[in-house]
Amino acid sequence: MAYILQVDFKTDGPFGEEMTSAFADLAESINQEEGFKWKIWTENKDAMEAGGIYLFESKETAEKYVDMHTKRLSGFGITNVNAKIFSVQTQLTSVNHGPAN
């Protein structure tokens, strides 16, 4: 069973193209995380929020990533991180063309 990790936090940026440039190396490093399958990066400049939706192979690897990522964000001065883990309901997700694997 796959697990979705939803993360969001308040940030002063960067956003848009500046985010792309600033976090290109970070994006590449995420690909090496244990159990990682994919990530959708999220941003809302108006609300000053960013984060992502991730898919992991197991709840354990998602939890391990949350621990590491929360510490990494703390190093950037971001301390109020909202992280939630959900199991994926693959049958209904498939009906709606969702990337469940």
Side-chain angles (χ1 to χ4, degrees):
M1 177 178 290
Y3 286 82
I4 290 285
L5 168 61
Q6 173 187 318
V7 175
D8 61 80
F9 49 85
K10 292 288 189 180
T11 182
D12 293 332
F15 297 99
E17 290 300 319
E18 290 177 358
M19 177 187 270
T20 301
S21 296
F23 298 126
D25 290 341
L26 175 62
E28 288 294 332
S29 75
I30 292 170
N31 290 331
Q32 306 310 310
E33 294 296 328
E34 180 184 357
F36 173 80
K37 298 185 76 103
W38 54 254
K39 176 181 181 181
I40 297 172
W41 290 68
T42 59
E43 61 180 342
N44 184 331
K45 186 175 181 180
D46 294 336
M48 302 298 282
E49 294 178 329
I53 307 295
Y54 305 72
L55 187 70
F56 282 89
E57 292 176 355
S58 69
K59 185 176 181 183
E60 293 74 26
T61 55
E63 290 170 337
K64 185 176 177 181
Y65 184 82
V66 168
D67 183 56
M68 180 280 301
H69 191 47
T70 301
K71 290 174 185 170
R72 176 173 48 206
L73 289 171
S74 178
F76 297 144
I78 298 168
T79 57
N80 192 12
V81 178
N82 181 35
K84 296 179 182 178
I85 297 172
F86 302 89
S87 59
V88 177
Q89 211 298 342
T90 55
Q91 293 84 359
L92 292 173
T93 299
S94 295
V95 170
N96 297 118
H97 313 291
N101 54 32

